Amino acid sequence: MSVSFRIILEDPESRARLGVLKTPHGEVQTPVFMPVGTQASVKTMTPHEVREVGGTMVLSNTYHLYLRPGQEIVAGAGGLHGFMNWPGPILTDSGGFQIFSLGPLRRITDEGVTFRSHIDGSEHFFSPEKSMEVQMVLGADVAMAFDECAPYPCSYEDARKAVERTTRWAERCLKRHDRKDQALFGIIQGGTYRDLRLQSAAAITAMDFPGYGIGGLSVGEPKPLMYEVLDYLVPVLPRDKPRYLMGVGSPDCLLEGVFRGVDMFDCVLPTRIARNGTIFTKDGRLTVRNAEFARDFRPLDPECDCYTCRNFTRAYVRHLLKANEVLGIRLTTWHNLYFVLKLMRDIRQAIRGKYFSAFKRDFLRRFNAG
Amino acid sequence: MSVSFRIILEDPESRARLGVLKTPHGEVQTPVFMPVGTQASVKTMTPHEVREVGGTMVLSNTYHLYLRPGQEIVAGAGGLHGFMNWPGPILTDSGGFQIFSLGPLRRITDEGVTFRSHIDGSEHFFSPEKSMEVQMVLGADVAMAFDECAPYPCSYEDARKAVERTTRWAERCLKRHDRKDQALFGIIQGGTYRDLRLQSAAAITAMDFPGYGIGGLSVGEPKPLMYEVLDYLVPVLPRDKPRYLMGVGSPDCLLEGVFRGVDMFDCVLPTRIARNGTIFTKDGRLTVRNAEFARDFRPLDPECDCYTCRNFTRAYVRHLLKANEVLGIRLTTWHNLYFVLKLMRDIRQAIRGKYFSAFKRDFLRRFNAG
């Protein structure tokens, strides 16, 4: 098999577990946060820097790469690993989420989705088969099934239809996918409706995918509602398969997700807020772009030992951000990715040391008070 | 003295010379090209990367730093070296060139220049004294006299007036400047008029500055005209003082400048064209942004061993540039600075090895044919 998952240790006090995801491009310690390289680049960073901040597996977006540069050009470089010079594991999403959230015009039928490019307005068609074909050409270690992600809020009827379509599409994905060195993960939908989530989980897990994405969360619903879904959904997922909570990456959600048994995460949040001049600290978010930091010659985060915090002051980084210097967003991005990836290392260490619940409580008490 | 200059070797076949510029922040091998950090950042690069590509001394712009973040904030970080975390030598220009070229409204009198900020339109006044005060606070190793840079083309009468004003202003700069750990270089003007250049050189060198800037070139005149000015100007400059050709940085001009006895250069050209998707190669410029490179999986410059060329293809860098990914302009900037700084190392090696004329001829034959 292309990708295998092994559980190393299960936390006695929570659903958290320590695992290893084995891929053709190396092993990944879980729980893992995957930095997002939407257009085959983790924004502002070289692949060597992604490694340096602690990244082990990255995500890239099928929708974006299909539109630009096109999967055939990526294939010409020997696939995504060669194209972006990232030798480690990669996961590609199915394109579905971007088609549903970025496309200005679209028509959805059971056959697939017609959408317009956000770049030039040209019309395109994606189906489960097309998503598989593009993802197989891109050649990531993990591909995702093409699903219909319902928005939040969403009526029960619409959520139910999305679950049923996602199930039919998952079958077609399985049928079309035949790349042996690439794992295909199924995706569970159902919005925030308990019976739909359980129905989706039953249908998708019956197909025996090597891993499961939890889709349709972190799309606008309150965080407690997301945690509630995880509380009843995760226990019905197969114990021995990786669980991937899609699009989640704030420090508090990472801790709550791991606590509830999630193994994999991805999110643009750490890199996106960095570009807006906001950084994570143990005391919560700090907007270094604010005027109050103009004469603050302390490190961005005095408790952090990342490259940015070892070398530059808040006053300097604020100046760079105000002056639209690229180095400014490079330095905040560096810090935020380091912060989140360091948090994941600390989480794994805490599970290993059997103090994860206490670690989570202490971290969140301070983070949420900040 | 704050800054000293020593000639190591003079080329028997040209005016080229090998030297060492000693500053409070370290020694610089000359001829040297100084990367430009306009706003206290060499665009897209960390100071560690500037060092890695071969940068030894950088330039920063007084006009920009005065307007943003303001010299007092830079002073709060212990000066420019601390503010931008560049431990090596720094040169600041006087602000004059930017005031004359960027300011939308201005009034020039013998007292000084009233100008409007290009950022917020606010009105400001710069005089020779003010430029010295700001530069002393910024604390670079080398400061430049506040001069009037005449445009090209320029009438004889206007060029003459600019020379005379530059002379009067140089005297006022010398009188006001009193920072012992900072050298103040004079600037020679005179446009492309031989007698005015010689008159300016006589007046400015009579004031015995520790170094001389050659201003008002590379402002639109044909390159042969610039070389002609150097041919008659450099011989009248003191042999034992560094000569700094301001705003020049294309590979051909660097070679021609060194050939004519120039020791120091700076220019935004390598970094600016990089951001437009154009790189230097030994066969001239290559616009990697062009469609012809969409499926070109060779390194940017197959003969180059910089980080970019060792790790990424033209197809990937073109994709990044087209997709507006910051990494794209980082990689082209990296290559172009490396290329120019490597050229300077090769030039110094050629002078040392007494084959500079042949090196220059061979380089230019290929570069200009490209």
Side-chain angles (χ1 to χ4, degrees):
Chain A
M1 189 170 110
S2 63
V3 169
S4 64
F5 182 65
R6 190 162 53 91
I7 294 172
I8 303 293
L9 191 74
E10 289 177 301
D11 185 38
E13 298 177 351
S14 73
R15 296 210 173 92
R17 64 251 196 105
L18 210 60
V20 177
L21 187 74
K22 208 168 162 175
T23 82
H25 291 87
E27 294 188 357
V28 175
Q29 310 294 316
T30 65
V32 64
F33 173 80
M34 299 177 282
V36 179
T38 300
Q39 304 188 107
S41 165
V42 175
K43 284 197 191 302
T44 80
M45 301 196 91
T46 67
H48 300 84
E49 289 165 354
V50 173
R51 183 73 75 188
E52 195 176 332
V53 295
T56 54
M57 180 169 190
V58 302
L59 176 145
S60 201
N61 290 111
T62 295
Y63 166 86
H64 289 87
L65 296 177
Y66 160 79
L67 290 178
R68 185 172 57 195
Q71 64 275 15
E72 295 308 335
I73 284 180
V74 175
L80 203 41
H81 298 87
F83 186 62
M84 65 189 288
N85 194 24
W86 173 260
I90 304 177
L91 179 148
T92 46
D93 64 4
S94 69
F97 183 76
Q98 278 72 29
I99 289 169
F100 287 98
S101 60
L102 293 180
L105 284 176
R106 60 179 202 269
R107 192 174 63 248
I108 312 170
T109 69
D110 238 35
E111 182 50 27
V113 188
T114 303
F115 62 99
R116 288 190 182 277
S117 160
H118 74 289
I119 300 167
D120 62 8
S122 56
E123 196 170 281
H124 299 267
F125 177 74
F126 248 54
S127 62
E129 291 77 13
K130 178 76 184 178
S131 174
M132 292 304 102
E133 287 155 15
V134 175
Q135 288 189 78
M136 285 192 286
V137 169
L138 292 175
D141 300 84
V142 177
M144 299 301 297
F146 190 70
D147 61 332
E148 181 176 349
C149 178
Y152 179 87
C154 176
S155 73
Y156 182 87
E157 192 50 28
D158 284 348
R160 189 186 61 76
K161 283 181 187 161
V163 163
E164 290 175 359
R165 180 169 278 154
T166 293
T167 303
R168 290 192 296 273
W169 283 0
E171 284 164 356
R172 286 163 58 188
C173 287
L174 260 184
K175 196 168 166 192
R176 180 67 189 87
H177 188 268
D178 60 2
R179 189 165 170 160
K180 298 297 174 215
D181 60 350
Q182 180 179 69
L184 174 64
F185 281 18
I187 298 182
I188 292 153
Q189 289 290 347
T192 51
Y193 299 102
R194 180 175 178 135
D195 64 329
L196 294 180
R197 280 284 170 187
L198 297 178
Q199 178 190 320
S200 183
I204 299 294
T205 59
M207 292 179 222
D208 197 24
F209 287 95
Y212 295 95
I214 301 168
L217 289 180
S218 198
V219 292
E221 80 284 359
K223 286 178 180 180
L225 206 47
M226 174 170 91
Y227 303 150
E228 193 188 309
V229 172
L230 294 176
D231 282 333
Y232 58 66
L233 175 59
V234 171
V236 304
L237 298 179
R239 175 186 165 275
D240 60 342
K241 300 286 174 67
R243 304 145 181 176
Y244 161 33
L245 180 55
M246 305 176 77
V248 168
S250 70
D252 49 337
C253 292
L254 292 171
L255 282 159
E256 298 291 359
V258 169
F259 187 83
R260 288 165 175 82
V262 173
D263 306 298
M264 303 166 69
F265 302 86
D266 83 284
C267 195
V268 296
L269 183 80
T271 44
R272 179 170 290 165
I273 67 171
R275 295 197 301 283
N276 292 327
T278 297
I279 62 155
F280 289 129
T281 77
K282 288 189 172 170
D283 293 308
R285 298 187 188 191
L286 182 146
T287 299
V288 69
R289 213 179 195 289
N290 286 350
E292 64 186 295
F293 301 116
R295 291 160 192 276
D296 190 332
F297 298 106
R298 287 175 293 176
L300 259 67
D301 175 357
E303 291 178 64
C304 178
D305 61 353
C306 82
Y307 174 75
T308 299
C309 294
R310 279 186 285 110
N311 285 286
F312 304 97
T313 63
R314 295 172 177 181
Y316 181 61
V317 173
R318 174 181 188 267
H319 161 66
L320 294 175
L321 294 168
K322 295 293 287 182
N324 292 317
E325 284 287 346
V326 161
L327 182 57
I329 60 173
R330 281 188 62 193
L331 295 179
T332 53
T333 299
W334 188 299
H335 169 80
N336 275 1
L337 276 185
Y338 183 91
F339 185 92
V340 167
L341 293 164
K342 170 90 163 56
L343 173 60
M344 298 312 290
R345 287 198 296 279
D346 290 345
I347 286 173
R348 293 193 299 268
Q349 189 58 43
I351 299 171
R352 196 174 291 113
K354 302 203 165 57
Y355 57 88
F356 173 63
S357 292
F359 173 81
K360 169 174 174 282
R361 183 192 62 227
D362 294 346
F363 184 97
L364 290 178
R365 184 179 295 155
R366 199 178 150 189
F367 190 78
N368 292 329
Chain B
M1 192 171 106
S2 64
V3 168
S4 63
F5 182 65
R6 190 162 51 91
I7 295 171
I8 303 292
L9 191 74
E10 289 176 301
D11 185 36
E13 298 177 351
S14 74
R15 297 211 171 92
R17 66 250 194 104
L18 210 59
V20 177
L21 186 74
K22 208 168 163 177
T23 81
H25 291 87
E27 294 188 355
V28 176
Q29 310 293 317
T30 65
V32 65
F33 173 81
M34 298 177 283
V36 178
T38 299
Q39 304 188 106
S41 165
V42 175
K43 285 197 190 300
T44 80
M45 303 196 91
T46 67
H48 299 84
E49 289 164 354
V50 173
R51 182 72 76 188
E52 194 175 332
V53 294
T56 52
M57 181 169 189
V58 302
L59 177 146
S60 201
N61 290 111
T62 295
Y63 166 86
H64 289 86
L65 296 176
Y66 159 80
L67 290 177
R68 185 171 57 195
Q71 64 275 15
E72 296 307 335
I73 284 180
V74 176
L80 203 41
H81 298 88
F83 186 62
M84 66 190 285
N85 194 24
W86 173 259
I90 305 177
L91 180 148
T92 46
D93 64 4
S94 70
F97 182 77
Q98 279 72 31
I99 289 169
F100 287 98
S101 60
L102 294 179
L105 284 177
R106 61 180 201 267
R107 191 173 63 248
I108 313 171
T109 68
D110 237 35
E111 182 50 28
V113 188
T114 304
F115 62 98
R116 287 189 183 277
S117 160
H118 74 289
I119 301 167
D120 62 7
S122 56
E123 195 170 279
H124 299 266
F125 176 73
F126 249 54
S127 61
E129 291 77 15
K130 178 75 183 180
S131 174
M132 292 304 101
E133 287 154 17
V134 175
Q135 289 189 77
M136 286 191 286
V137 169
L138 292 175
D141 301 85
V142 177
M144 299 302 295
F146 190 69
D147 62 332
E148 181 176 348
C149 178
Y152 180 87
C154 176
S155 73
Y156 182 87
E157 191 50 27
D158 285 349
R160 189 185 61 76
K161 282 182 189 158
V163 163
E164 290 175 0
R165 180 168 279 153
T166 293
T167 303
R168 289 192 296 273
W169 283 1
E171 283 164 357
R172 285 164 58 188
C173 286
L174 261 184
K175 197 170 164 189
R176 181 68 190 85
H177 188 269
D178 59 2
R179 188 164 170 160
K180 300 297 175 216
D181 60 349
Q182 180 180 69
L184 174 64
F185 281 17
I187 298 181
I188 292 154
Q189 290 288 348
T192 53
Y193 299 102
R194 181 177 178 135
D195 64 328
L196 294 181
R197 280 284 170 189
L198 299 178
Q199 179 190 320
S200 183
I204 300 294
T205 58
M207 293 180 222
D208 197 26
F209 286 96
Y212 296 95
I214 301 169
L217 289 180
S218 198
V219 292
E221 79 286 359
K223 286 179 180 178
L225 206 46
M226 175 170 89
Y227 303 150
E228 194 187 309
V229 172
L230 294 177
D231 281 333
Y232 57 66
L233 175 60
V234 171
V236 304
L237 298 178
R239 174 185 166 275
D240 60 343
K241 300 289 174 64
R243 303 146 181 174
Y244 161 32
L245 180 56
M246 305 176 77
V248 167
S250 70
D252 49 339
C253 291
L254 292 171
L255 282 158
E256 299 291 358
V258 169
F259 187 82
R260 288 166 175 81
V262 173
D263 306 297
M264 303 166 69
F265 303 85
D266 82 284
C267 195
V268 297
L269 183 82
T271 44
R272 179 170 291 165
I273 67 172
R275 295 197 302 282
N276 292 328
T278 297
I279 62 154
F280 289 129
T281 77
K282 288 190 173 172
D283 293 309
R285 298 187 187 190
L286 184 147
T287 300
V288 70
R289 212 178 196 288
N290 286 350
E292 63 184 297
F293 302 115
R295 291 161 191 276
D296 189 332
F297 298 106
R298 288 175 293 176
L300 259 68
D301 175 357
E303 291 178 63
C304 178
D305 61 354
C306 81
Y307 173 75
T308 300
C309 294
R310 279 186 284 111
N311 286 286
F312 304 97
T313 63
R314 294 172 178 182
Y316 181 61
V317 173
R318 176 181 187 267
H319 160 67
L320 295 176
L321 294 168
K322 295 292 287 182
N324 291 319
E325 284 287 347
V326 161
L327 182 58
I329 59 171
R330 281 188 62 192
L331 295 179
T332 52
T333 300
W334 188 298
H335 169 81
N336 276 2
L337 275 185
Y338 183 89
F339 185 91
V340 166
L341 292 164
K342 170 90 162 57
L343 173 61
M344 298 310 290
R345 288 198 296 278
D346 290 345
I347 286 174
R348 292 193 298 268
Q349 189 59 44
I351 300 172
R352 195 175 290 113
K354 302 203 166 55
Y355 56 88
F356 174 63
S357 293
F359 173 81
K360 169 174 173 282
R361 184 192 61 229
D362 294 347
F363 185 97
L364 289 177
R365 184 179 293 155
R366 198 176 152 192
F367 190 79
N368 291 329

mmCIF file of all heavy atoms in Angstrom, chain A residues 153-170:
data_model
loop_
_atom_site.group_PDB
_atom_site.id
_atom_site.type_symbol
_atom_site.label_atom_id
_atom_site.label_comp_id
_atom_site.label_asym_id
_atom_site.label_seq_id
_atom_site.Cartn_x
_atom_site.Cartn_y
_atom_site.Cartn_z
ATOM 1 N N PRO A 153 -24.675 28.717 7.663
ATOM 2 C CA PRO A 153 -25.659 27.685 7.992
ATOM 3 C C PRO A 153 -26.224 27.025 6.735
ATOM 4 O O PRO A 153 -26.124 27.571 5.641
ATOM 5 C CB PRO A 153 -26.744 28.474 8.731
ATOM 6 C CG PRO A 153 -26.645 29.861 8.197
ATOM 7 C CD PRO A 153 -25.201 30.078 7.842
ATOM 8 N N CYS A 154 -26.801 25.855 6.921
ATOM 9 C CA CYS A 154 -27.313 25.072 5.806
ATOM 10 C C CYS A 154 -28.555 24.325 6.297
ATOM 11 O O CYS A 154 -28.550 23.788 7.408
ATOM 12 C CB CYS A 154 -26.221 24.094 5.378
ATOM 13 S SG CYS A 154 -26.713 22.958 4.075
ATOM 14 N N SER A 155 -29.598 24.313 5.481
ATOM 15 C CA SER A 155 -30.818 23.610 5.897
ATOM 16 C C SER A 155 -30.536 22.112 5.992
ATOM 17 O O SER A 155 -29.618 21.598 5.335
ATOM 18 C CB SER A 155 -31.937 23.854 4.879
ATOM 19 O OG SER A 155 -31.673 23.127 3.690
ATOM 20 N N TYR A 156 -31.335 21.430 6.762
ATOM 21 C CA TYR A 156 -31.184 19.982 6.913
ATOM 22 C C TYR A 156 -31.283 19.305 5.554
ATOM 23 O O TYR A 156 -30.487 18.424 5.215
ATOM 24 C CB TYR A 156 -32.266 19.427 7.852
ATOM 25 C CG TYR A 156 -32.140 17.946 8.096
ATOM 26 C CD1 TYR A 156 -31.323 17.462 9.112
ATOM 27 C CD2 TYR A 156 -32.815 17.028 7.283
ATOM 28 C CE1 TYR A 156 -31.188 16.103 9.332
ATOM 29 C CE2 TYR A 156 -32.678 15.667 7.486
ATOM 30 C CZ TYR A 156 -31.869 15.204 8.515
ATOM 31 O OH TYR A 156 -31.724 13.867 8.711
ATOM 32 N N GLU A 157 -32.228 19.755 4.752
ATOM 33 C CA GLU A 157 -32.469 19.139 3.451
ATOM 34 C C GLU A 157 -31.254 19.301 2.533
ATOM 35 O O GLU A 157 -30.819 18.341 1.883
ATOM 36 C CB GLU A 157 -33.726 19.763 2.819
ATOM 37 C CG GLU A 157 -34.265 19.057 1.609
ATOM 38 C CD GLU A 157 -34.439 17.552 1.801
ATOM 39 O OE1 GLU A 157 -34.651 17.085 2.948
ATOM 40 O OE2 GLU A 157 -34.317 16.831 0.789
ATOM 41 N N ASP A 158 -30.685 20.501 2.513
ATOM 42 C CA ASP A 158 -29.504 20.730 1.674
ATOM 43 C C ASP A 158 -28.310 19.927 2.190
ATOM 44 O O ASP A 158 -27.525 19.377 1.409
ATOM 45 C CB ASP A 158 -29.141 22.224 1.645
ATOM 46 C CG ASP A 158 -30.103 23.012 0.745
ATOM 47 O OD1 ASP A 158 -30.869 22.375 -0.011
ATOM 48 O OD2 ASP A 158 -30.083 24.255 0.805
ATOM 49 N N ALA A 159 -28.155 19.863 3.509
ATOM 50 C CA ALA A 159 -27.049 19.106 4.088
ATOM 51 C C ALA A 159 -27.205 17.621 3.754
ATOM 52 O O ALA A 159 -26.224 16.929 3.454
ATOM 53 C CB ALA A 159 -26.989 19.317 5.602
ATOM 54 N N ARG A 160 -28.449 17.143 3.788
ATOM 55 C CA ARG A 160 -28.717 15.740 3.479
ATOM 56 C C ARG A 160 -28.366 15.436 2.022
ATOM 57 O O ARG A 160 -27.722 14.433 1.702
ATOM 58 C CB ARG A 160 -30.199 15.423 3.738
ATOM 59 C CG ARG A 160 -30.554 13.934 3.664
ATOM 60 C CD ARG A 160 -32.045 13.681 3.792
ATOM 61 N NE ARG A 160 -32.825 14.306 2.726
ATOM 62 C CZ ARG A 160 -32.913 13.844 1.464
ATOM 63 N NH1 ARG A 160 -32.271 12.739 1.119
ATOM 64 N NH2 ARG A 160 -33.630 14.492 0.556
ATOM 65 N N LYS A 161 -28.776 16.342 1.128
ATOM 66 C CA LYS A 161 -28.464 16.141 -0.295
ATOM 67 C C LYS A 161 -26.953 16.122 -0.531
ATOM 68 O O LYS A 161 -26.443 15.346 -1.331
ATOM 69 C CB LYS A 161 -29.101 17.250 -1.137
ATOM 70 C CG LYS A 161 -30.596 17.063 -1.354
ATOM 71 C CD LYS A 161 -31.143 18.188 -2.232
ATOM 72 C CE LYS A 161 -32.660 18.112 -2.330
ATOM 73 N NZ LYS A 161 -33.244 19.394 -2.772
ATOM 74 N N ALA A 162 -26.247 17.024 0.172
ATOM 75 C CA ALA A 162 -24.783 17.090 0.010
ATOM 76 C C ALA A 162 -24.139 15.788 0.501
ATOM 77 O O ALA A 162 -23.184 15.288 -0.104
ATOM 78 C CB ALA A 162 -24.217 18.292 0.764
ATOM 79 N N VAL A 163 -24.670 15.227 1.592
ATOM 80 C CA VAL A 163 -24.144 13.961 2.112
ATOM 81 C C VAL A 163 -24.352 12.846 1.086
ATOM 82 O O VAL A 163 -23.432 12.053 0.799
ATOM 83 C CB VAL A 163 -24.833 13.585 3.450
ATOM 84 C CG1 VAL A 163 -24.626 12.107 3.779
ATOM 85 C CG2 VAL A 163 -24.295 14.465 4.572
ATOM 86 N N GLU A 164 -25.539 12.809 0.506
ATOM 87 C CA GLU A 164 -25.836 11.727 -0.440
ATOM 88 C C GLU A 164 -25.012 11.847 -1.714
ATOM 89 O O GLU A 164 -24.485 10.858 -2.229
ATOM 90 C CB GLU A 164 -27.340 11.707 -0.746
ATOM 91 C CG GLU A 164 -28.116 11.225 0.485
ATOM 92 C CD GLU A 164 -29.621 11.282 0.302
ATOM 93 O OE1 GLU A 164 -30.088 11.712 -0.776
ATOM 94 O OE2 GLU A 164 -30.329 10.896 1.256
ATOM 95 N N ARG A 165 -24.871 13.106 -2.178
ATOM 96 C CA ARG A 165 -24.050 13.312 -3.383
ATOM 97 C C ARG A 165 -22.589 12.972 -3.086
ATOM 98 O O ARG A 165 -21.898 12.350 -3.890
ATOM 99 C CB ARG A 165 -24.190 14.752 -3.858
ATOM 100 C CG ARG A 165 -23.380 15.049 -5.089
ATOM 101 C CD ARG A 165 -23.761 16.389 -5.683
ATOM 102 N NE ARG A 165 -24.957 16.305 -6.517
ATOM 103 C CZ ARG A 165 -25.789 17.328 -6.747
ATOM 104 N NH1 ARG A 165 -25.553 18.501 -6.175
ATOM 105 N NH2 ARG A 165 -26.824 17.175 -7.543
ATOM 106 N N THR A 166 -22.128 13.390 -1.897
ATOM 107 C CA THR A 166 -20.745 13.108 -1.510
ATOM 108 C C THR A 166 -20.507 11.597 -1.469
ATOM 109 O O THR A 166 -19.429 11.111 -1.857
ATOM 110 C CB THR A 166 -20.438 13.768 -0.144
ATOM 111 O OG1 THR A 166 -20.474 15.192 -0.322
ATOM 112 C CG2 THR A 166 -19.064 13.358 0.377
ATOM 113 N N THR A 167 -21.499 10.850 -1.045
ATOM 114 C CA THR A 167 -21.379 9.389 -0.997
ATOM 115 C C THR A 167 -21.286 8.806 -2.414
ATOM 116 O O THR A 167 -20.404 7.987 -2.708
ATOM 117 C CB THR A 167 -22.592 8.776 -0.263
ATOM 118 O OG1 THR A 167 -22.662 9.342 1.045
ATOM 119 C CG2 THR A 167 -22.455 7.266 -0.161
ATOM 120 N N ARG A 168 -22.185 9.250 -3.285
ATOM 121 C CA ARG A 168 -22.139 8.748 -4.674
ATOM 122 C C ARG A 168 -20.818 9.125 -5.340
ATOM 123 O O ARG A 168 -20.217 8.337 -6.068
ATOM 124 C CB ARG A 168 -23.315 9.325 -5.478
ATOM 125 C CG ARG A 168 -24.676 8.780 -5.077
ATOM 126 C CD ARG A 168 -25.764 9.158 -6.076
ATOM 127 N NE ARG A 168 -26.007 10.591 -6.166
ATOM 128 C CZ ARG A 168 -26.854 11.272 -5.364
ATOM 129 N NH1 ARG A 168 -27.512 10.637 -4.412
ATOM 130 N NH2 ARG A 168 -27.022 12.579 -5.514
ATOM 131 N N TRP A 169 -20.381 10.377 -5.092
ATOM 132 C CA TRP A 169 -19.124 10.826 -5.695
ATOM 133 C C TRP A 169 -17.925 10.036 -5.149
ATOM 134 O O TRP A 169 -16.966 9.777 -5.878
ATOM 135 C CB TRP A 169 -18.931 12.332 -5.455
ATOM 136 C CG TRP A 169 -19.791 13.184 -6.375
ATOM 137 C CD1 TRP A 169 -20.662 12.745 -7.325
ATOM 138 C CD2 TRP A 169 -19.837 14.624 -6.420
ATOM 139 N NE1 TRP A 169 -21.257 13.803 -7.962
ATOM 140 C CE2 TRP A 169 -20.769 14.986 -7.425
ATOM 141 C CE3 TRP A 169 -19.192 15.649 -5.720
ATOM 142 C CZ2 TRP A 169 -21.059 16.313 -7.747
ATOM 143 C CZ3 TRP A 169 -19.478 16.976 -6.036
ATOM 144 C CH2 TRP A 169 -20.404 17.300 -7.037
ATOM 145 N N ALA A 170 -17.974 9.697 -3.868
ATOM 146 C CA ALA A 170 -16.868 8.934 -3.269
ATOM 147 C C ALA A 170 -16.711 7.581 -3.972
ATOM 148 O O ALA A 170 -15.592 7.116 -4.232
ATOM 149 C CB ALA A 170 -17.114 8.738 -1.768
#
